[in-house]
C-alpha cells in the first residue's frame, strides 16, 4: 500500500462521498465501453447502507493538507457468496475466502484499486472477485495484481446481464 494510505470502515456520515464515488465510477465505466455492468443505479442505496451497517463497506483514505481524503471504496464480504457456488470453470480451492465487491475509485489517487486489493489479501489471504466481460479496466487490475481468471459465474441477484468473469488469489 502506498505510504500514508490506510483502510477504515465507512460510516453513515460517509454516505454522500460514497454516493459521489459510485456516480463517478458509473460514468467512467460507461465512458470505457462498459455501460451495463452498473447501469445508472447500481449499487442501490439500500445495498450501500446495508454494507455500511454490516461493517463491510471499507474506505481507502489518505491525508491531504490535514484533511482525510477518500480515494476508493469497496465491500469486503466474508462467508460464502451464493453467486460463487456454481462456476463454469474452477476456483483455485474450496478454502474459506472473502469476496471483494462494489469497488469504486474516487479518481483522485493513483493505484487506489491495487491498494484495496492489497488490503484484502493482507487481511483475508484468500480473495475472490468478479467483473463484467466489458470491464477491461477491472480485468487488467485483477490480473496485474496476480489474480487468476477462474471461469464464469452468474450473479444470483440479477435477472439479465448476470454473467461475470470470476477471479481468485490465495496467498496463505
Amino acid at each position: 500500500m502506498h505510504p500514508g494510505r490506510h483502510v477504515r470502515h465507512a460510516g453513515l456520515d460517509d454516505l454522500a462521498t460514497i454516493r459521489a464515488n459510485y456516480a463517478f465510477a458509473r460514468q467512467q465505466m460507461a465512458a470505457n465501453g462498459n455501460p451495463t455492468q452498473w447501469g445508472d443505479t447500481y449499487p442501490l442505496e439500500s445495498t450501500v447502507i446495508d454494507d455500511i451497517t454490516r461493517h463491510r463497506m471499507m474506505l481507502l483514505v489518505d491525508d491531504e493538507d490535514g484533511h482525510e481524503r477518500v480515494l476508493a471504496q469497496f465491500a469486503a464480504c466474508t462467508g460464502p457468496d451464493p453467486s460463487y457456488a456454481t462456476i463454469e470453470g474452477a476456483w483455485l480451492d474450496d478454502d474459506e475466502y472473502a469476496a471483494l465487491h462494489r469497488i469504486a475509485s474516487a479518481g483522485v489517487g493513483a493505484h487506489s484499486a491495487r491498494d484495496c486489493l492489497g488490503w484484502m489479501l493482507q487481511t483475508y489471504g484468500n480473495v475472490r472477485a468478479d467483473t463484467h466481460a466489458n470491464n477491461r479496466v477491472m480485468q487488467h487490475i485483477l490480473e496485474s495484481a496476480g489474480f487468476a481468471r477462474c471461469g464464469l459465474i452468474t450473479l444470483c441477484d440479477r435477472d439479465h446481464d448476470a454473467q461475470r468473469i470470476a477471479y481468485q488469489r490465495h496467498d496463505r
Side-chain angles (χ1 to χ4, degrees):
M1 187 170 308
H2 282 79
R5 293 181 177 183
H6 68 277
V7 172
R8 70 166 176 85
H9 288 278
L12 290 173
D13 54 334
D14 297 305
L15 199 51
T17 300
I18 292 168
R19 275 189 208 117
N21 290 345
Y22 280 135
F24 175 75
R26 287 190 295 269
Q27 180 184 39
Q28 291 300 303
M29 285 179 170
N32 286 296
N34 183 22
T36 62
Q37 181 176 354
W38 284 6
D40 295 328
T41 58
Y42 187 86
L44 297 175
E45 178 122 348
S46 59
T47 302
V48 174
I49 291 172
D50 186 54
D51 284 343
I52 293 170
T53 58
R54 293 177 68 184
H55 305 288
R56 61 186 187 193
M57 176 61 71
M58 310 305 292
L59 302 178
L60 174 69
V61 300
D62 71 0
D63 183 60
E64 183 174 270
D65 301 325
H67 300 288
E68 182 183 78
R69 178 174 70 156
V70 176
L71 305 174
Q73 63 211 30
F74 59 98
C77 304
T78 58
D81 186 315
S83 293
Y84 292 174
T86 303
I87 184 170
E88 184 182 313
W91 294 110
L92 299 179
D93 55 51
D94 293 324
D95 295 350
E96 286 185 21
Y97 63 90
L100 174 85
H101 290 303
R102 295 178 284 288
I103 187 169
S105 169
V108 295
H111 306 293
S112 311
R114 185 174 314 243
D115 283 351
C116 295
L117 290 170
W119 183 88
M120 285 288 293
L121 289 162
Q122 181 179 356
T123 304
Y124 299 105
N126 191 9
V127 178
R128 293 181 182 179
D130 64 82
T131 195
H132 195 280
N134 291 337
N135 195 338
R136 305 270 188 236
V137 172
M138 193 64 196
Q139 290 172 48
H140 172 75
I141 291 167
L142 287 163
E143 291 169 12
S144 66
F147 278 73
R149 188 182 287 225
C150 296
L152 300 174
I153 58 104
T154 301
L155 300 176
C156 295
D157 60 353
R158 299 274 176 101
D159 37 340
H160 69 285
D161 197 27
Q163 190 174 72
R164 298 291 185 267
I165 302 168
Y167 289 88
Q168 184 177 5
R169 181 170 159 187
H170 192 169
D171 284 358
R172 300 185 208 147

